Amino acid sequence: QVQLVESGGGLVQPGGSLGLSCVASGRFFSINEMGWYRQAPGKERELVARIISGGSTTYADSVKGRFTISRDNGQNAVYLQMNSLKPEDTAVYYCNAVIRSPPYTMNYWGKGTLVTVSS
């Protein structure tokens, strides 16, 4: 059974920084891509950033220049460094991974970690 476990959420003041981590565990062949999504109260879940196995990244316009996604393929881990945080970044952040276990390729989600940006 594949599991994604996030860590690193919490309360931070506007302008502050926070880092999130996510590790995939279980039996699988490979991970195609990993990423972070977020869902604020009353809003739909949205992409924050994602990174494919070759290292190419995609960011939401709202976080470009402030957030950095990185990946450790050997550790099956993905990280999100969040700088210059704003109150509108407050949300539950979910780790996502597209994982191959031939013949299947499946989409997995973590349980989420809450990030609150407030003074």
Side-chain angles (χ1 to χ4, degrees):
Q1 184 74 10
V2 176
Q3 286 189 317
L4 301 181
V5 179
E6 304 113 330
S7 60
L11 174 65
V12 62
Q13 293 187 340
S17 298
L18 203 61
L20 304 181
S21 301
C22 172
V23 178
S25 63
R27 297 184 64 180
F28 50 86
F29 180 72
S30 64
I31 302 177
N32 289 359
E33 67 175 70
M34 300 187 81
W36 293 93
Y37 289 70
R38 68 186 180 187
Q39 188 167 18
K43 295 188 177 181
E44 294 186 352
R45 191 173 298 188
E46 63 177 2
L47 172 70
V48 177
R50 63 185 176 201
I51 182 168
I52 65 173
S53 57
S56 179
T57 58
T58 301
Y59 291 93
D61 287 343
S62 59
V63 307
K64 283 180 181 177
R66 300 189 298 122
F67 291 11
T68 302
I69 190 170
S70 60
R71 180 172 170 177
D72 184 334
N73 291 329
Q75 298 296 321
N76 297 320
V78 64
Y79 309 98
L80 187 69
Q81 179 62 38
M82 304 182 290
N83 299 328
S84 303
L85 282 160
K86 305 175 181 179
E88 51 264 43
D89 294 317
T90 295
V92 177
Y93 284 69
Y94 295 91
C95 178
N96 171 263
V98 179
I99 293 177
R100 288 188 62 212
S101 297
Y104 306 108
T105 297
M106 298 182 67
N107 201 25
Y108 292 90
W109 294 92
K111 293 182 178 181
T113 185
L114 178 63
V115 172
T116 303
V117 185
S118 174
S119 55

